């Protein structure tokens, strides 16, 4: 069983990754709040696993179906922490349990197991995980954590530690609403001196009259020629015809 001594080894082990797993946050809490170091770097327990603090309870290290035990047999009791549904787990910091959800089955599979000597000192510290959504632990994902690695973690902020591990909290993607630019329709109107010529526009406004919403060009001529001389009428008609041709 390989002992993890460096951050790179912890990262490569895959423990507590990816989101929404909580093992890395659990380990950060343990290194900073549940253990301290005394003379000769002995690991002093700052919590009380035997009393059930933070959801700790006995780990019996039973034989599995293949006749193997997860951890070595020793004379000290084992305790496990990390089950966010255990009594006392509500004492854990919010950052450890914030992603726990029944619909995210990987959000509660990570554990820390400790061996406790005389209820005051930690003899060994292990990280592990449940195997394939069962109550069994995965022996291939179980690692001892060295004192030196715990000391390294203690010197880091939570954000820096998670970043170093390549752990990123999931962020719901944001899709902005489409922007619709509305431009009111306009009508161009030409008004020559004599006849009124109004070509319709393809972008005509809804309030525009029906007469201007087609594609025809209309020329309105006041018919007051009945009282004029025929030659004058002919001259006027020619002038209007020239104007009409010029407009077209």
């Amino acid at each position: 069983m390989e002992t993890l001594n460096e951050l790179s080894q912890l990262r490569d082990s895959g423990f507590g990754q990816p989101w929404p797993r909580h093992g890395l946050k659990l380990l950060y809490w343990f290194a900073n709040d549940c253990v301290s170091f005394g003379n000769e770097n002995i690991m002093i327990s700052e919590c009380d696993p035997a009393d059930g603090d933070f959801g700790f309870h006995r780990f019996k290290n039973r034989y599995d179906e293949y006749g193997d035990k997860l951890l070595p047999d020793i004379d000290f009791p084992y305790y496990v922490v990390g089950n966010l549904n255990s009594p006392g787990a509500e004492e854990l910091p919010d950052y450890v349990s914030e992603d726990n959800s029944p619909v995210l089955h990987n959000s509660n599979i990570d554990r820390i197991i400790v061996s406790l000597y005389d209820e005051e000192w930690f003899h060994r510290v292990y990280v592990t995980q449940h195997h394939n959504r069962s109550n069994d632990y995965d022996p291939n994902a179980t690692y001892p954590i060295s004192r030196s690695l715990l000391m390294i973690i203690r010197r880091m902020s939570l954000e820096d530690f998670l970043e170093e591990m390549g752990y990123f909290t999931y962020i719901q993607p944001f899709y902005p609403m489409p922007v619709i630019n509305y431009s009111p329709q306009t009508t161009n109107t030409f008004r020559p001196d004599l006849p009124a010529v109004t070509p319709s526009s393809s972008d005509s406004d809804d309030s525009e009259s029906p007469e201007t919403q087609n594609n025809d060009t209309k020329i309105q001529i006041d018919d007051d020629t009945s009282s004029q001389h025929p030659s004058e009428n002919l001259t006027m008609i020619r002038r209007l015809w020239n104007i009409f041709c010029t407009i077209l």
Side-chain angles (χ1 to χ4, degrees):
M1 188 180 295
E2 178 188 4
T3 299
L4 305 182
N5 298 294
E6 303 290 341
L7 290 174
S8 59
Q9 293 176 312
L10 177 61
R11 180 179 62 246
D12 294 342
S13 74
F15 173 71
Q17 300 185 61
W19 182 93
R21 291 178 59 175
H22 71 304
L24 291 174
K25 297 177 181 180
L26 181 70
L27 182 59
Y28 183 86
W29 161 79
F30 179 85
N32 283 274
D33 295 340
C34 199
V35 64
S36 62
F37 293 90
N39 296 333
E40 300 180 359
N41 290 332
I42 62 171
M43 295 186 290
I44 302 172
S45 174
E46 297 295 339
C47 49
D48 192 352
D51 197 38
D53 286 359
F54 302 100
F56 271 105
H57 55 276
R58 284 289 297 269
F59 175 72
K60 297 183 179 180
N61 198 31
R62 296 189 179 96
Y63 290 102
D64 62 17
E65 58 181 325
Y66 304 105
D68 299 321
K69 290 187 176 183
L70 182 69
L71 302 176
D73 283 325
I74 57 175
D75 294 331
F76 315 128
Y78 285 113
Y79 293 88
V80 60
V81 69
N83 185 347
L84 300 176
N85 298 320
S86 292
E90 66 276 2
E91 300 173 3
L92 291 167
D94 290 341
Y95 68 79
V96 174
S97 59
E98 62 184 353
D99 295 318
N100 183 37
S101 171
V103 299
L104 301 173
H105 67 271
N106 285 339
S107 64
N108 191 27
I109 66 172
D110 298 318
R111 302 289 186 269
I112 293 176
I113 301 176
V114 298
S115 56
L116 190 65
Y117 173 73
D118 200 24
E119 297 188 0
E120 295 183 11
W121 300 285
F122 293 123
H123 178 247
R124 291 282 188 272
V125 177
Y126 299 87
V127 294
T128 188
Q129 68 182 57
H130 278 292
H131 183 63
N132 292 336
R133 303 179 68 177
S134 70
N135 290 327
D136 298 327
Y137 291 101
D138 186 352
N140 296 318
T142 302
Y143 303 93
I145 299 293
S146 70
R147 292 173 173 84
S148 61
L149 180 53
L150 291 173
M151 291 178 179
I152 292 172
I153 296 173
R154 285 169 61 88
R155 294 194 294 264
M156 305 178 72
S157 68
L158 175 61
E159 292 75 14
D160 290 343
F161 173 60
L162 295 180
E163 183 177 357
E164 183 70 23
M165 292 297 99
Y167 181 94
F168 300 98
T169 299
Y170 175 76
I171 300 176
Q172 179 70 30
F174 172 74
Y175 300 102
M177 293 294 292
V179 177
I180 301 176
N181 293 324
Y182 172 75
S183 299
Q185 298 173 341
T186 59
T187 301
N188 296 326
T189 302
F190 301 94
R191 297 183 181 275
D193 291 339
L194 292 177
V197 180
T198 307
S200 65
S201 170
S202 60
D203 295 327
S204 60
D205 188 82
D206 291 341
S207 61
E208 191 177 7
S209 62
E211 289 80 3
T212 61
Q213 294 181 6
N214 54 46
N215 294 325
D216 297 332
T217 300
K218 294 186 177 182
I219 300 177
Q220 296 179 354
I221 303 174
D222 294 333
D223 189 10
D224 293 333
T225 60
S226 59
S227 61
Q228 296 180 357
H229 192 275
S231 61
E232 293 177 354
N233 290 341
L234 180 60
T235 301
M236 178 62 71
I237 291 173
R238 288 176 179 175
R239 289 179 179 176
L240 293 176
W241 178 254
N242 289 335
I243 293 173
F244 178 79
C245 292
T246 300
I247 293 174
L248 295 179

